[in-house]
Amino acid sequence: MQLGVHGLNTNATLDPAITTQLARRAEELGYTSWWASDHVVLPSPRTPLSPMAPTDPLLDPLTHLAYVAAVTERIELGTGILILPQRNPLVLAKQAASLDVLSGGRLLLGVAAGFLEAEMTAVGVPFKERGRRTDEYIDAMTALWTEERPAFEGRYTSFRDVDAHPRPVRPGGPRILVGGHSPAAFRRAVARGHGWIGSGDSPESLATHLAGLKQAAAEIDRPARLGPLEITFAHVDPSTLDAQAIGRYAALGLDRLLLYPAPLQNPADILAFLEERAPGF
């Protein structure tokens, strides 16, 4: 099981010097991936579903990851997750390919449908359409990355007689990880994702999601080109992640466990957290 770092494009780590220090140290310690979260806007005043206050600073994930790519050499760069229906799929495909090329093929593109209606409305996307748009946009980006003469005809996006280069470094484009904890998200991960990405506060919550993914796999055909479904999970409570919990995650067959030190407000505390839980600690 690999260990990654999640959520450090916000709050205490906005300063570029701190980001550089933490990202380089994470790479030195053996963490294999660095993940950034996404919200274009947040409800104001804060609503019960909102994960952050509207005044909490949050850097754009692709911009943040491009900076991290420039100050590191090996660590993979993940969006965890990017809210896909809020983005134009052709523009995002170009941005993702560019980041993948500049980082030497290190991009992991985590996407999901989103869950904040106020945010979706503010960017002009009908909330009830978010799932269908997510499915279609994944297919459209894949066509642009992989087809010799790209073409796509959908309800929300259509194109032909166009092309976009450079193509991503990885054949077939960046690995796509589909996020979400609903039955629809599980089915989307099985049908369209190289992997699934979720979050929670315990191995028990992961076990519940794994059961949902198993049910989806029994209902949905998985394209052979995607290979085995890779499982990535972010543990969101830094106070409860110890060696025993990490061992329980590994026993569940988790491919990648993401540590989430973002609630810590002092960069020195974040660094200590990463050093204490580094691979092999």
Side-chain angles (χ1 to χ4, degrees):
M1 183 181 71
Q2 298 179 2
L3 294 184
V5 181
H6 188 282
L8 295 185
N9 60 321
T10 185
N11 291 332
T13 56
L14 294 181
D15 184 276
I18 294 173
T19 295
T20 299
Q21 177 193 21
L22 292 174
R24 287 176 173 170
R25 185 57 177 150
E27 189 171 67
E28 291 171 356
L29 290 168
Y31 291 95
T32 61
S33 55
W34 179 282
W35 299 75
S37 54
D38 178 38
H39 285 288
V40 175
V41 294
L42 288 162
S44 182
R46 185 176 184 173
T47 62
L49 287 178
S50 181
M52 304 171 64
T55 54
D56 287 341
L58 179 69
L59 295 173
D60 172 81
L62 296 175
T63 304
H64 170 81
L65 292 175
Y67 181 89
V68 174
V71 300
T72 57
E73 297 178 354
R74 302 176 305 279
I75 200 165
E76 291 187 299
L77 310 163
T79 56
I81 52 69
L82 189 147
I83 305 170
L84 185 52
Q86 297 182 167
R87 312 276 174 149
N88 179 292
L90 274 71
V91 174
L92 177 58
K94 168 62 79 171
Q95 293 171 321
S98 300
L99 178 52
D100 196 57
V101 168
L102 288 172
S103 66
R106 289 191 274 158
L107 178 62
L108 299 168
L109 191 64
V111 300
F115 60 91
L116 291 175
E117 185 169 3
E119 180 179 18
M120 211 72 65
T121 300
V123 298
V125 176
F127 189 65
K128 292 183 178 180
E129 295 180 358
R130 67 194 190 283
R132 292 191 296 270
R133 286 178 182 266
T134 299
D135 292 339
E136 187 172 302
Y137 289 2
I138 292 173
D139 295 344
M141 291 191 299
T142 300
L144 192 62
W145 288 330
T146 61
E147 295 180 4
E148 184 176 348
R149 295 181 59 85
F152 185 82
E153 188 71 29
R155 179 176 179 180
Y156 304 106
T157 186
S158 300
F159 57 86
R160 64 179 60 255
D161 300 325
V162 296
D163 209 339
H165 289 264
R167 297 289 176 87
V169 172
R170 303 189 194 211
R175 293 183 68 78
I176 294 177
L177 283 69
V178 175
H181 302 144
S182 68
F186 296 146
R187 292 192 294 269
R188 183 174 299 119
V190 171
R192 289 179 166 84
H194 298 93
W196 171 82
I197 179 170
S199 62
D201 56 8
S202 69
E204 289 72 28
S205 62
L206 172 60
T208 299
H209 301 320
L210 292 177
L213 287 164
K214 184 177 180 179
Q215 178 64 36
E219 300 170 353
I220 301 293
D221 291 332
R222 179 168 176 79
R225 67 176 178 81
L226 295 175
L229 186 69
E230 183 180 277
I231 306 298
T232 300
F233 191 74
H235 183 100
V236 298
D237 184 353
S239 69
T240 61
L241 187 64
D242 54 18
Q244 183 179 12
I246 291 176
R248 286 156 60 203
Y249 279 119
L252 288 169
L254 185 60
D255 294 295
R256 186 185 291 111
L257 175 63
L258 308 184
L259 282 62
Y260 188 77
L264 302 174
Q265 294 301 309
N266 187 316
D269 292 338
I270 293 172
L271 181 60
F273 175 86
L274 295 178
E275 290 177 340
E276 290 169 2
R277 291 158 180 80
F281 81 101

